[in-house]
Amino acid sequence: MANIDGITTDAPKGGVRYGTININDDANYEVKLKPLYTGLCGTDRAEVSGSLSFTYNPENYNYMVLGHESVCEVIDAKENEFEIKTGDYVVPIVRRPGKCVNCRIGRQDNCSDGDHDIHEAGIRGIHGFNREYFFDYAKNLVKINDKGMILTAAMTEPTKNVMKAFEVFDTVSKRTIFENDDSTYLEKNCVIIGTGSEAFLYAFMAREYRMNVYLVNRHDINDYKKNILDKINANFYDYTKEDKIKKIDLLIDTSGDPGTIIRFIGKLNYNGVLILFGTNGKAPASALSGEDIDYIIERNITLAGSVDGAKIHYLRAVEYLEKWNYSEGSIIKNLVTGTYKPDDTSIFLKKPQEEIKSLIKWF
Ligand code: DN4
Ligand code: BGC
Ligand code: ZN
Ligand code: ZN
C-alpha cells in the first residue's frame, strides 16, 4: 500500500481531480519508476469528458489514474533479464498482453480478447502513469539510451501508433505495386485529417516515405504550426475554403468524424488506402451511399482500422525520434507546445488552441 499523489478520474463517467490516493502495489514488481514527463492527448480528454466508449476503471477501484504517455526514470530495479537498471530512462508500454494468440506473441496491439479483457495503462482497467511513482516489470519497458533526448522521448508512445499504422499501410500495399515506376513513393499524395499531435507525427513519417503531405482541418491553423509543416516540407489547407488535392493515395484520419472521412473517401485514388485512427464515439453519423461503395470497390480501395502498437513499434519510434531529434533544426522538439504542473488539471479539460503536444513535468 502506498500513498501516491496522482491525477484521478471517475472514469468512465468522466471528470478529473488531483489528489492523494492509496493503491495496492504488487510486491513482485521488478522496477520502481518515477515519471519525468507524461503527455496527454485526445484519448485522455475523451476519458475526462466521458465520451470514450471503451474506457473502464481498474478492478475494485471507482477511479483510474490517468496517463498512458510517459518517459520515466528507474529509481529502483531488481535484477532482471532485460538489464534495466537504476538510473535508466524508459518508456512503459501502454497495452499489456492478455490471453489471445496475438497477445502471446507480443502483438497485444492486435488483441482479440474482447473489450473488457484489453488492459491499457490509464485507459482500460489499469492505473496510468500520472503519479509520483509506480511499479512495473522490466519486460514492459523500452529503454531510452540517449538521455539528451528526453523531451523528444516523451513522444515515443504516440509515435509508436504511427509506426504501427505505417506497418498496416506497408502490409496492404503489398497486394499491388503501390510505388512509382522508379520504386519510390515520390509524388504519391498523403492527406492527414486533423492537426493534433498524432497528425503531426503522421506527417513526419509520411515525409520519410517522401510522399507529398497535406494536413487538413475545417479551420485555419496558426503560423507556428504552419511553420513546422513548412520546415518538413508538408502542407496545410482548410478544406472548407479550398481543395488543394484531387487524388489521394494514402488517407489517414485522426478526426474520427464520419462526415469528413466520407468527404475525402471520394478523392482516394486507385489502390488507395484509408487508415482510420481517430476515435470519436460522439460524432454524428454519416452514411456511405451506394455510389461511394461502388467507388471503393471499383478502385480496390482499402479501409483499415489501426489501434495501438507493439514493442517493436516503440523501438522503431525511438529510432525515428532520435533521427528527427538530431536532424537540422530539431523540428520535432517544436511539437511540444507547453509543459504543465501535475496539479494543473485544467489541461485535461480544455485543449489550448496553440497545442500540438502538452506535457506534464514531474521533476
Ligand atoms: P487531437 O489533438 O484531439 O486531434 C484530433 C484532431 O482532429 C484535431 O486537430 C481536431 O481539430 C481534428 N478534427 C476534429 N474534427 C475534425 C473535422 N471534422 N475535420 C477535420 N479535423 C477535425 O487528438 P490526437 O492527435 O491526440 O489523437 C487523434 C485521435 O486519434 C484522437 O481521436 C485519439 O483518441 C485517437 N488516437 C487513437 C490511437 C490509436 O488508435 C492512439 C492515439 C490517439 P481541432 O479540434 O483541433 O479543431 O491507437
Ligand atoms: C493509445 C493506444 C491505445 C488507444 C486506445 C491511444 O491513445 O496511444 O496505445 O491503444 O489509445 O485505447
Ligand atoms: Zn495518447
Ligand atoms: Zn489478446
Side-chain angles (χ1 to χ4, degrees):
M1 192 83 100
N3 263 341
I4 300 171
D5 281 338
I7 293 169
T8 70
T9 166
D10 300 327
K13 289 194 277 340
V16 61
R17 164 165 84 77
Y18 176 84
T20 302
I21 52 172
N22 292 314
I23 292 182
N24 291 319
D25 293 316
D26 180 344
N28 295 323
Y29 278 17
E30 290 170 325
V31 288
K32 185 174 182 182
L33 301 171
K34 176 188 163 43
L36 298 169
Y37 287 104
T38 54
L40 59 145
C41 75
T43 304
D44 300 275
R45 291 205 180 94
E47 289 179 70
V48 167
S49 73
S51 70
L52 197 69
S53 56
F54 49 77
T55 188
Y56 64 99
N57 291 328
E59 211 179 336
N60 302 324
Y61 287 88
N62 64 355
Y63 61 84
M64 175 165 57
V65 179
L66 285 169
H68 57 278
E69 305 181 7
S70 77
V71 57
C72 302
E73 183 177 352
V74 178
I75 51 174
D76 194 21
K78 294 180 193 161
E79 211 175 285
N80 60 80
E81 60 175 300
F82 295 89
E83 297 193 1
I84 300 284
K85 297 193 174 64
T86 303
D88 284 350
Y89 286 4
V90 294
V91 171
I93 286 173
V94 175
R95 189 180 284 198
R96 303 306 166 94
K99 296 190 188 77
C100 77
V101 68
N102 284 312
C103 284
R104 294 204 304 270
I105 60 160
R107 288 304 304 253
Q108 59 264 31
D109 56 318
N110 286 338
C111 177
S112 55
D113 282 332
D115 278 357
H116 260 64
D117 288 314
I118 295 181
H119 291 94
E120 294 181 325
I123 305 174
R124 310 177 200 225
I126 39 178
H127 290 302
F129 311 135
N130 281 322
R131 37 183 165 149
E132 282 183 340
Y133 65 86
F134 58 94
F135 298 88
D136 212 329
Y137 292 99
K139 70 170 189 299
N140 294 326
L141 307 175
V142 174
K143 197 165 158 183
I144 304 297
N145 288 316
D146 180 355
K147 291 189 176 176
M149 57 175 276
I150 173 177
L151 211 62
T152 305
M155 292 184 281
T156 303
E157 194 283 333
T159 308
K160 67 87 171 72
N161 298 324
V162 171
M163 299 299 148
K164 148 88 176 257
F166 270 92
E167 184 182 270
V168 173
F169 167 68
D170 288 341
T171 306
V172 296
S173 299
K174 283 194 186 120
R175 71 204 159 131
T176 180
I177 299 172
F178 191 88
E179 298 90 351
N180 293 325
D181 53 14
D182 58 0
S183 291
T184 70
Y185 287 93
L186 289 171
E187 303 311 319
K188 294 285 179 190
N189 293 324
C190 171
V191 168
I192 300 161
I193 305 173
T195 49
S197 56
E198 293 285 359
F200 273 80
L201 292 166
Y202 273 112
F204 269 79
M205 196 57 198
R207 287 298 300 138
E208 288 290 330
Y209 279 68
R210 293 294 176 263
M211 292 188 195
N212 298 325
V213 176
Y214 299 83
L215 264 66
V216 298
N217 209 323
R218 62 216 182 293
H219 55 68
D220 201 6
I221 55 169
N222 66 21
D223 287 345
Y224 180 86
K225 292 183 185 176
K226 282 185 186 157
N227 192 30
I228 293 178
L229 294 176
D230 270 358
K231 291 207 165 121
I232 61 166
N233 287 317
N235 311 277
F236 167 80
Y237 69 96
D238 172 350
Y239 64 78
T240 65
K241 299 221 172 75
E242 52 182 327
D243 183 9
K244 279 197 189 167
I245 184 157
K246 298 283 176 252
K247 284 287 165 237
I248 303 172
D249 298 291
L250 171 61
L251 176 61
I252 298 165
D253 177 65
T254 72
S255 76
D257 183 61
T260 309
I261 296 166
I262 290 173
R263 172 184 195 138
F264 280 92
I265 283 181
K267 289 174 179 297
L268 274 161
N269 210 346
Y270 285 87
N271 302 312
V273 178
L274 161 59
I275 303 276
L276 294 174
F277 178 81
T279 49
N280 189 350
K282 294 224 163 136
S286 190
L288 282 174
S289 66
E291 214 179 313
D292 293 332
I293 291 180
D294 291 358
Y295 183 94
I296 292 168
I297 295 167
E298 295 308 313
R299 284 165 184 74
N300 283 297
I301 288 165
T302 304
L303 274 56
S306 181
V307 67
D308 194 44
K311 197 176 207 175
I312 185 71
H313 305 114
Y314 284 81
L315 294 169
R316 225 169 266 165
V318 175
E319 277 172 19
Y320 275 105
L321 286 170
E322 192 168 341
K323 174 180 177 195
W324 298 331
N325 191 66
Y326 293 107
S327 299
E328 199 193 329
S330 212
I331 317 299
I332 191 76
K333 286 187 192 159
N334 296 345
L335 298 197
V336 177
T337 43
T339 49
Y340 297 82
K341 292 191 176 140
D343 61 355
D344 184 0
T345 53
S346 69
I347 189 69
F348 284 91
L349 298 167
K350 196 168 182 317
K351 175 173 164 172
Q353 223 195 340
E354 70 285 0
E355 176 186 275
I356 302 178
K357 176 56 73 186
S358 294
L359 299 179
I360 299 170
K361 189 175 174 190
W362 291 85
F363 60 95

